[in-house]
Amino acid sequence: MYMERTYVGCPTDQPPISAERKTDASMGEHIFETVKDKELPLAEQVAGQIRQLIIDRQLTNGEKLPNEFELAQQLNVGRGTVREAVKLLVARNVLEIRRGRGTFVARHTGVVNDPLGFAYMPDQLRLAHELLDIRLNMEPWVASLAAQHATQEDVAELRTLCREIEDLIHAGENHLLRDEALHVRIARCTQNRVVPKLLPVIAYSVQLFGSLNDQRIYQETIDTHRQIVDAIAAHDQEAAREAMYRHLTGNLAAITEQDALQAQGQPTPSNAL
């Protein structure tokens, strides 16, 4: 395959600008390496360069990219091509567009919603059990590792999420997105780059449990969340492990009750957590 490599914004006899993370003030600099591949559409090439930008600058979820005009200038392509490239990356859950605010790195970069196809599996109650089997073996260890590595900033964020969940529960509002965010943040506290890749199992499980259970486990959710975060803040690995295990076994008890009611042909609670 024929490949021609050039560097945008750099003289041909000089290497490209270093790919270290840039500050907002330097966003306008030409730092892209443009790969011209005759077998790839231009929008796909530009999408690859934007993806490389995210990696090189170590951009994380929620961080903003240069606007369409700036990207077009830096890549030496038309704004329409940039627009098509961004659409490709949005479809792949690498980027997200926030109307009136700009383009940002997606929350779970590169991980599409429900990548494992859980939503299409029959018998969601059985699936809840199966997901919980995995989480019972995985998340207590994750919590323990989080207790070992969590920073003060991590702990502050975990406490904020706990308060937000409690406020939503007391207000009678759906708290599942913040609940999911709490578990995601705990996973990121581990400083292990592989752990966050397992998040689709946790994220879908949180949403599924919420759809199957009712208000009777609200207080237990509040209490065990506090215990998990307190243990992580104290860097007590064993306490964090035990608190997460209690949290998940509480879910198991609620799901087991749903099984029993279903087997008896009785209606099951349908209120979301």
Side-chain angles (χ1 to χ4, degrees), residues 99-115:
R99 187 168 299 177
R101 296 180 59 192
T103 303
F104 296 79
V105 178
R107 183 173 54 160
H108 302 315
T109 311
V111 179
V112 297
N113 290 334
D114 193 20

Side-chain angles (χ1 to χ4, degrees), residues 124-125 127-128 131 174-176 179 203-215 217-218 251 255 258 268-273:
Q124 292 283 292
L125 190 54
L127 177 61
L131 288 171
N174 192 306
H175 74 276
L176 291 178
D179 195 323
Y204 191 86
S205 180
V206 169
Q207 298 294 326
L208 180 57
F209 289 144
S211 69
L212 293 173
N213 287 314
D214 66 358
Q215 298 182 8
I217 68 168
Y218 280 178
N251 278 324
I255 294 299
Q258 301 302 302
T268 58
S270 58
N271 293 353
L273 283 178

